[in-house]
Amino acid sequence: MTRWNVREIAFYGAGARRRTIEFDIDKVNVITGASGTGKSAIIDAIDYCLGSKDCRLPFFVRGHTVAVAVHWVQGDSDLIVGRKIPESGSGTNQMFVRTGKHLRLPNTSEGLEGPTNRDTARATIEKSFGIQDTDDPAVAAKSEKGRASIRDVTPYLFLSGGIIINRETLLHDLHRPEKARDIKATMPYFLGAVNQASVLAARRLRQLEAALGRIEREAKAQERSQGLLTQRSIALLTQAEGIGLIAELPSADASDQILLNQLRSVAENGVSTPASRDSETRAALEDERRQLVSELQTLREKRQMLKRTIREAAGYGTAVSGQSHKLKLVEHLKLGDGRCPVCDAENAAGLAMAEQIRNSLTIVADEVLAVDVMRPRLDDHFGQVENQIGSRSGRLREVEAQLSGLLRVEEESAGAGSLLQERARVVGRIDQFLETTARDYETSSTNTASLESEIENLRDQVDPQARRERLRDAENMVSNFATDMLADLPTEVPATGARVVFSSAPSLSLIEPTQRAVLAMAEVGSDQNYLAMHLALSFSLQKLFETMRAPVPGLLVIDQISRPYYPKGGDEKRLKEMEKDDDQVAMQKIVRFLFEETARRAGLQVILIEHAYIEEDPEYVAAVKGRWTKASGVKLIPSDWPNRN
């Protein structure tokens, strides 16, 4: 056997339970029976053990099994791939991979060997199948367009139920956008037009060609702008020379670098003039004048307030002194001895009154003293404020005199100022030119000789023309194979006698024999025609893979060739249950095609999942590996297996 086939698939349940399905190598194998018995899960199990991200096994299978394993064989080489089954969600990251000779599936899931992560497992499978033929990490990156992985072989292995009579989708998973890109990108590799090394070379070639194109565009832009740079530089230097910023113009043959250096010198020196210094002095004097005016206003307000305070203090002192003199007159009445000053009789009321007058005299005396103490201080502070006002007023007169002098100087130098302003404008233009335009023109020169040499070498390796020719040759081979096979399959007009045209786009069309009209796949019509077209293409691709020794396993899993002839669902179907004799003949013809075409191919194994049990065909009966009917109660996962919980 020259190609990889599946020897066994094992499902592991709780309590050391194992359900194993064995298959014949290089032959057709049939699993037939009722709907809901788990037949289609065979595709899901193989796909899951080829490292798919998601686990698509049916709910019942996931609820009653804990792991699944696929035993691949090629000659005396064995490859066992196992994987834990999650109860829900996406697939587990842990896988089990073992390679060697004379390997056997373990009895329990605990016996699976070679635990590893999904990425490492996929890399091991790819190496076994011969997909990865370069060790370059850049090619190993899945994001690299055209780099094939184990996940890209599944469209050629499975003819699933949703595809086999589909009028629009050609291959398994091609209807999924996230998969379609990889299928299209890697098909040239599987058709033998490229190899993994040429994928890397093509990647590097695209990068270098883009870099060279960018350099060439920049060089052309620099060449176009060089004349403008010279013209603009000379124009600015001429303006600078005309207003005295430089002594003379550079020579006519001066390089652009010399011109730019002289412009930078003018920009760095700038324009320094008496006018600019006077302007700075005037600004400082104006600031000082505003400050002096503000201070004088504050001091004058303060002086006014002090004047008012001094006046009020003087009035208060006069009033208090008068009261003091009046109260002292009472002393002459001698009220303190307790007698009436008129009749000299003892008088208690006079004694109390004398005491009150003495207290009032004490208070008034204290107030007179306070006024006498504060008055000199107020007078002194008033004098200080008057001095500050005089000092600030004198400085203000000096500042205003200086400002008047500067104004006269500015009026006298108005003519000279226009020249200085022009110089400032020219320096500004030079600054802007150096900051923007000149900087854009200064691109570093790049030696493209080595780059061009590497591009030429890569073009020899990639050789796009040879790639196109190899791809066209592969497309023609598949088209011819499929045309011959379509003639052996039951079809209806317009597919009958038509020629198949296959493109690696990928697409499939027919050229009908009567008017030579080219029909897209969707235009052909009839489930029987779509079944025939899918079968012809799948077997044609397998024939090409065998011829060119492509790294694709010799496996084709087909889900129900009887779809155009039996209603969906139900129990196992017999040939005689078909209402039309033509359908019975067509079904037998398709079965013969499967067996005969598989026998012609070296290393091709077919696993046929079917409702139909064709007891009229002894070879079909002999190929049956399981009859899972309602009467027998046999299923992929036995009904008596306990729930994994």
Side-chain angles (χ1 to χ4, degrees):
M1 182 183 64
T2 58
R3 303 177 69 189
W4 287 96
N5 285 184
V6 172
R7 171 77 72 187
E8 299 170 287
I9 299 178
F11 290 85
Y12 296 94
R17 290 174 174 80
R18 189 182 85 166
R19 174 74 158 97
T20 304
I21 308 170
E22 297 183 356
F23 300 99
D24 291 335
I25 304 303
D26 292 341
K27 293 182 179 179
V28 175
N29 298 263
V30 180
I31 302 292
T32 182
S35 298
T37 54
K39 301 187 303 298
S40 297
I42 292 174
I43 290 179
D44 299 325
I46 297 173
D47 185 53
Y48 186 54
C49 286
L50 289 178
S52 67
K53 179 180 178 182
D54 300 319
C55 179
R56 299 182 182 178
L57 288 166
F59 174 77
F60 185 84
V61 175
R62 297 176 72 161
H64 294 77
T65 58
V66 296
V68 62
V70 178
H71 182 186
W72 295 85
V73 293
Q74 182 191 44
D76 58 355
S77 297
D78 292 275
L79 169 66
I80 293 179
V81 183
R83 197 170 181 186
K84 297 291 186 181
I85 297 175
E87 290 188 72
S88 61
S90 59
T92 59
N93 187 53
Q94 187 180 44
M95 295 182 65
F96 301 86
V97 180
R98 187 184 178 194
T99 60
K101 298 181 183 297
H102 310 298
L103 301 181
R104 292 290 183 267
L105 287 173
N107 292 325
T108 65
S109 62
E110 287 76 13
L112 291 170
E113 298 179 287
T116 185
N117 59 54
R118 188 167 65 100
D119 290 338
T120 303
R122 285 167 51 163
T124 303
I125 301 171
E126 289 170 4
K127 185 176 181 181
S128 298
F129 286 175
I131 293 176
Q132 190 172 354
D133 59 358
T134 176
D135 294 328
D136 193 289
V139 178
K142 179 57 189 166
S143 59
E144 174 56 34
K145 183 180 179 181
R147 190 266 166 184
S149 77
I150 189 60
R151 299 301 308 153
D152 299 315
V153 304
T154 56
Y156 312 110
L157 306 184
F158 306 137
L159 196 51
S160 52
I163 302 299
I164 194 168
I165 58 173
N166 195 297
R167 60 182 294 175
E168 295 177 351
T169 304
L170 195 60
L171 299 169
H172 177 78
D173 275 345
L174 191 58
H175 63 290
R176 298 170 58 194
E178 70 275 17
K179 293 287 293 180
R181 182 185 72 91
D182 292 334
I183 294 172
K184 295 175 182 179
T186 58
M187 184 168 285
Y189 168 74
F190 290 111
L191 294 180
V194 297
N195 56 35
Q196 299 284 50
S198 65
V199 170
L200 175 61
R203 173 180 180 269
R204 177 65 176 164
L205 178 61
R206 289 194 301 272
Q207 293 174 338
L208 295 184
E209 286 178 336
L212 181 61
R214 185 171 57 253
I215 292 172
E216 290 176 343
R217 288 192 299 272
E218 290 174 354
K220 289 180 179 178
Q222 184 180 18
E223 182 179 351
R224 288 194 301 269
S225 63
Q226 201 65 36
L228 297 175
L229 175 66
T230 304
Q231 295 174 14
R232 183 63 175 155
S233 298
I234 292 176
L236 288 171
L237 288 172
T238 300
Q239 294 177 27
E241 190 267 343
I243 56 178
L245 288 173
I246 60 174
E248 60 180 357
L249 289 172
S251 61
D253 58 351
S255 66
D256 287 338
Q257 193 59 50
I258 292 176
L259 299 177
L260 291 174
N261 290 340
Q262 193 160 3
L263 287 171
R264 289 191 183 96
S265 177
V266 173
E268 290 170 1
N269 292 332
V271 182
S272 178
T273 66
S276 62
R277 292 193 296 272
D278 289 345
S279 177
E280 293 174 1
T281 303
R282 179 178 177 180
L285 289 172
E286 289 285 359
D287 290 340
E288 186 178 1
R289 180 182 178 280
R290 283 191 293 271
Q291 182 66 26
L292 287 169
V293 170
S294 176
E295 291 177 1
L296 281 170
Q297 183 178 355
T298 302
L299 288 170
R300 289 182 179 123
E301 291 174 354
K302 191 173 184 180
R303 182 178 65 181
Q304 188 65 26
M305 182 183 65
L306 285 170
K307 284 182 179 180
R308 186 166 55 251
T309 302
I310 291 171
R311 282 197 304 270
E312 291 174 354
Y316 182 73
T318 303
V320 171
S321 296
Q323 291 295 328
S324 177
H325 290 304
K326 290 178 182 179
L327 290 172
K328 285 183 178 181
L329 292 175
V330 181
E331 294 178 356
H332 299 289
L333 299 177
K334 298 180 181 181
L335 296 178
D337 58 4
R339 294 181 178 277
C340 177
V342 178
C343 63
D344 198 30
E346 291 184 0
N347 187 351
L351 183 62
M353 185 179 298
E355 182 64 28
Q356 291 177 356
I357 291 173
R358 278 195 296 270
N359 290 338
S360 298
L361 281 171
T362 301
I363 294 172
V364 170
D366 290 340
E367 291 179 351
V368 170
L369 179 62
V371 171
D372 291 341
V373 172
M374 288 300 298
R375 179 64 182 269
R377 294 180 183 177
L378 290 171
D379 291 341
D380 183 58
H381 191 41
F382 183 82
Q384 292 177 6
V385 172
E386 283 287 356
N387 291 335
Q388 290 177 355
I389 290 174
S391 174
R392 298 295 192 278
S393 297
R395 178 56 186 165
L396 180 59
R397 287 191 293 271
E398 292 176 2
V399 169
E400 289 177 340
Q402 289 177 315
L403 286 171
S404 298
L406 287 175
L407 182 60
R408 288 193 298 272
V409 171
E410 289 180 0
E411 291 174 351
E412 293 172 357
S413 61
S418 61
L419 176 61
L420 296 175
Q421 291 174 1
E422 182 60 26
R423 287 181 177 178
R425 281 194 291 270
V426 171
V427 170
R429 295 190 195 108
I430 292 173
D431 273 332
Q432 185 179 14
F433 173 72
L434 293 173
E435 195 65 28
T436 57
T437 311
R439 178 179 294 179
D440 293 339
Y441 291 155
E442 293 177 351
T443 58
S444 58
S445 60
T446 303
N447 185 3
T448 61
S450 60
L451 187 62
E452 292 172 345
S453 176
E454 186 176 357
I455 287 175
E456 287 302 317
N457 292 334
L458 288 172
R459 283 174 177 168
D460 291 339
Q461 295 179 37
V462 174
D463 194 356
Q465 181 61 34
R467 176 186 183 277
R468 285 192 293 270
E469 291 176 357
R470 288 192 297 269
L471 190 58
R472 189 180 302 112
D473 181 59
E475 291 171 339
N476 290 336
M477 291 177 69
V478 172
S479 299
N480 292 334
F481 294 158
T483 298
D484 293 340
M485 293 178 188
L486 190 65
D488 294 334
L489 289 164
T491 56
E492 299 174 356
V493 175
T496 303
R499 185 160 66 87
V500 178
V501 178
F502 169 72
S503 167
S504 59
S507 66
L508 193 72
S509 57
L510 295 183
I511 301 178
E512 62 89 26
T514 306
Q515 301 179 18
R516 308 294 295 166
V518 179
L519 305 177
M521 190 170 171
E523 300 177 277
V524 176
S526 169
D527 286 349
Q528 181 169 261
N529 284 342
Y530 290 126
L531 171 66
M533 292 169 67
H534 279 94
L535 287 173
L537 176 62
S538 296
F539 277 92
S540 296
L541 288 170
Q542 287 290 340
K543 184 175 181 179
L544 179 70
F545 297 152
E546 173 197 344
T547 302
M548 56 176 288
R549 299 181 180 274
V552 178
L555 173 68
L556 190 55
V557 186
I558 304 172
D559 191 356
Q560 201 175 331
I561 57 175
S562 60
R563 288 179 184 276
Y565 312 113
Y566 286 122
K568 295 181 179 179
D571 200 356
E572 180 186 81
K573 305 294 182 181
R574 301 298 182 91
L575 190 63
K576 60 186 179 182
E577 293 180 37
M578 292 185 182
E579 297 180 358
K580 299 179 181 179
D581 292 340
D582 289 345
D583 290 346
Q584 295 182 24
V585 173
M587 185 67 185
Q588 289 177 307
K589 190 173 182 179
I590 295 171
V591 170
R592 284 293 87 219
F593 171 84
L594 295 184
F595 280 92
E596 291 171 4
E597 193 59 40
T598 302
R600 294 189 191 103
R601 305 276 69 81
L604 179 61
Q605 177 189 45
V606 172
I607 299 176
L608 176 62
I609 300 167
E610 258 304 326
H611 276 307
Y613 181 70
I614 314 297
E615 57 188 350
E616 293 83 356
D617 190 321
E619 193 172 13
Y620 185 93
V621 173
V624 173
K625 300 303 175 185
R627 291 183 65 189
W628 303 343
T629 65
K630 291 183 177 180
S632 67
V634 178
K635 298 179 180 180
L636 175 66
I637 305 301
S639 300
D640 60 353
W641 276 27
N643 193 294
R644 60 188 296 173
N645 293 332

